[in-house]
Amino acid sequence: MKRIVVCGAGGFIGGHLVSRLKKDGHWVRGVDIKFNEFKKTDADEFLIADLRDPVKVDVTIDETIDEVYQLAADMGGSTYINTGEHDSDVMHNSCIINLNVLKTCSMKNVTKIFYSSSACVYPEYNQLDPDNPKCSEDTTYPAEPDSEYGWEKLFSERLYKAFERNHGLNVRIARFHNIYGPLGTFDGGREKAPAAICRKIIEAKIKKNKNIEIWGDGTQTRSFLYIDDCIQGTLDVFNSNSNEVFNVGSEEQVSINQMIEIIEDVANYKVNKNYQLDKPKGVRGRSSDNSFIQKQIGWKHTHTLKEGLIKTYNWISNQIESGTNISKFSKSSIEN
């Protein structure tokens, strides 16, 4: 039984990862600045700690820990990342966390560490055509991410590789592409597009209102990966013998308009799209290129977008209808 720390365990992906690691028989310590909004943690221990504080990191990653999954970051959806209003916080907070985690791991007996990077590292100039974006791992340089969040992720990738070379850390890195699913935030500005659109259509249906707001013109393209596939991809990358950087995403590319149509079909409710052309909308096209990861370690996603959206829509609908409150989970978490 390995002793594992998951940084960012109060978040969407981190919470799912903790549950999977526990299911696989490991001892898990979760750490985050907050509790999970929607679920009591499955971790053996859960520490509320600000990982920008090196003392807290030193306590969290003690000499008994074998492996670390580093998912903690200041992040959110397009409404948070692409407005430019949070750039300094995004870069400062995430960089400090990664510096602290790496320094501590290099001084302790940590045998392996995972870092969650992002598809946002890819150059904007390769993502101008919504129908033919280029996001294979070998197109990362010359670098030109479209957001400071992307620049921070790319810098942090290099930081992890530098510690791998200079301090002998065994590092694994995956670039996540738009992860969605149940237990993910769906309101408040940090939600991703699938959750935001599900919420808007659910609320429109409840209020019998046909109008929803869409940032951009709806023709921008993306691929979206269901959370269960993300967790499996993470573990496959982590447990592989390769220390290459891999895309972990779906190759099922759709426009935002096409995704809306799928959610309308799930909801059995048609809406009118009010396009907000002056709002930030990110790159014109982005989709995961999985040829490298399939060749190297054999990972493939298994959920279609519609299958994942059905589960996501139904979960968000239940949350809205039941008025789920964060407080009932924070009170039952294990320890501070």
Side-chain angles (χ1 to χ4, degrees):
M1 181 172 63
K2 296 176 182 176
R3 291 176 62 86
I4 298 173
V5 166
V6 176
C7 302
F12 167 46
I13 301 174
H16 279 275
L17 179 60
V18 166
S19 298
R20 173 61 186 272
L21 292 171
K22 281 303 302 172
K23 183 179 178 181
D24 289 348
H26 304 299
W27 184 94
V28 181
R29 174 182 292 153
V31 58
D32 208 314
I33 200 169
K34 64 177 180 62
F35 294 106
N36 190 282
E37 296 176 69
F38 306 108
K39 182 180 183 294
K40 178 182 176 180
T41 182
D42 290 320
D44 296 278
E45 293 180 1
F46 193 102
L47 307 180
I48 293 294
D50 188 340
L51 298 178
R52 293 172 297 181
D53 182 344
V55 175
K56 297 292 179 62
V57 177
D58 188 65
V59 171
T60 299
I61 305 172
D62 60 39
E63 286 78 2
T64 70
I65 298 303
D66 301 305
E67 299 173 348
V68 172
Y69 289 80
Q70 193 338 57
L71 287 77
D74 190 347
M75 64 166 297
S78 182
T79 54
Y80 188 76
I81 293 299
N82 292 116
T83 61
E85 297 173 1
H86 310 286
D87 287 348
S88 59
D89 285 339
V90 165
M91 299 187 80
H92 173 269
N93 294 338
S94 296
C95 285
I96 292 296
I97 290 170
N98 287 317
L99 286 164
N100 288 340
V101 168
L102 277 167
K103 188 65 174 179
T104 298
C105 286
S106 70
M107 298 170 65
K108 303 290 178 74
N109 296 318
V110 175
T111 59
K112 190 182 287 189
I113 181 170
F114 174 86
Y115 174 60
S116 61
S117 186
S118 168
C120 293
V121 304
Y122 287 112
E124 184 177 19
Y125 58 76
N126 279 340
Q127 301 171 88
L128 300 176
D129 183 349
D131 297 321
N132 297 288
K134 297 178 182 178
C135 294
S136 59
E137 290 87 348
D138 60 357
T139 64
T140 309
Y141 295 96
E144 193 182 327
D146 77 307
S147 67
E148 301 302 345
Y149 171 76
W151 280 108
E152 181 277 316
K153 284 294 187 182
L154 189 57
F155 165 78
S156 292
E157 284 187 12
R158 300 186 68 92
L159 183 65
Y160 276 81
K161 285 299 184 181
F163 270 77
E164 182 179 56
R165 293 191 303 272
N166 296 159
H167 296 278
L169 288 177
N170 195 0
V171 173
R172 298 291 184 270
I173 300 174
R175 292 171 178 165
F176 292 158
H177 286 248
N178 296 311
I179 315 304
Y180 74 100
L183 303 180
T185 186
F186 53 87
D187 202 354
R190 291 182 184 252
E191 68 275 16
K192 298 294 183 70
I197 295 171
C198 282
R199 170 183 52 80
K200 290 177 181 181
I201 291 180
I202 291 165
E203 291 176 341
K205 187 175 182 179
I206 291 173
K207 298 175 182 178
K208 295 181 171 54
N209 176 18
K210 291 287 186 179
N211 299 316
I212 66 169
E213 183 179 285
I214 301 298
W215 286 25
D217 61 9
T219 63
Q220 63 268 38
T221 59
R222 296 291 186 274
S223 66
F224 302 94
L225 183 69
Y226 187 65
I227 182 61
D228 291 356
D229 289 325
C230 173
I231 298 303
Q232 188 60 57
T234 296
L235 296 177
D236 286 355
V237 169
F238 190 84
N239 294 321
S240 74
N241 293 322
S242 176
N243 66 349
E244 299 283 354
V245 179
F246 292 108
N247 286 330
V248 172
S250 168
E251 293 180 300
E252 186 182 352
Q253 179 178 312
V254 295
S255 69
I256 297 301
N257 283 334
Q258 288 172 324
M259 183 170 67
I260 293 170
E261 291 175 1
I262 294 173
I263 298 173
E264 286 177 322
D265 184 57
V266 173
N268 193 27
Y269 191 76
K270 296 293 184 182
V271 295
N272 299 321
K273 298 176 283 290
N274 293 331
Y275 297 112
Q276 306 295 307
L277 302 182
D278 60 336
K279 298 287 188 179
K281 46 191 173 292
V283 295
R284 289 296 299 161
R286 176 177 291 149
S287 181
S288 185
D289 184 328
N290 291 351
S291 55
F292 187 57
I293 191 171
Q294 289 176 10
K295 179 180 179 181
Q296 293 292 313
I297 64 177
W299 175 81
K300 295 181 179 180
H301 62 92
T302 61
H303 290 78
T304 66
L305 179 58
K306 185 167 186 178
E307 288 170 342
L309 286 174
I310 289 171
K311 295 179 180 181
T312 305
Y313 178 92
N314 289 336
W315 179 80
I316 294 175
S317 181
N318 288 335
Q319 299 305 302
I320 291 174
E321 291 176 3
S322 64
T324 299
N325 193 305
I326 183 175
S327 62
K328 71 177 184 179
F329 301 118
S330 62
K331 291 176 182 176
S332 61
S333 293
I334 295 173
E335 64 178 69
N336 290 325

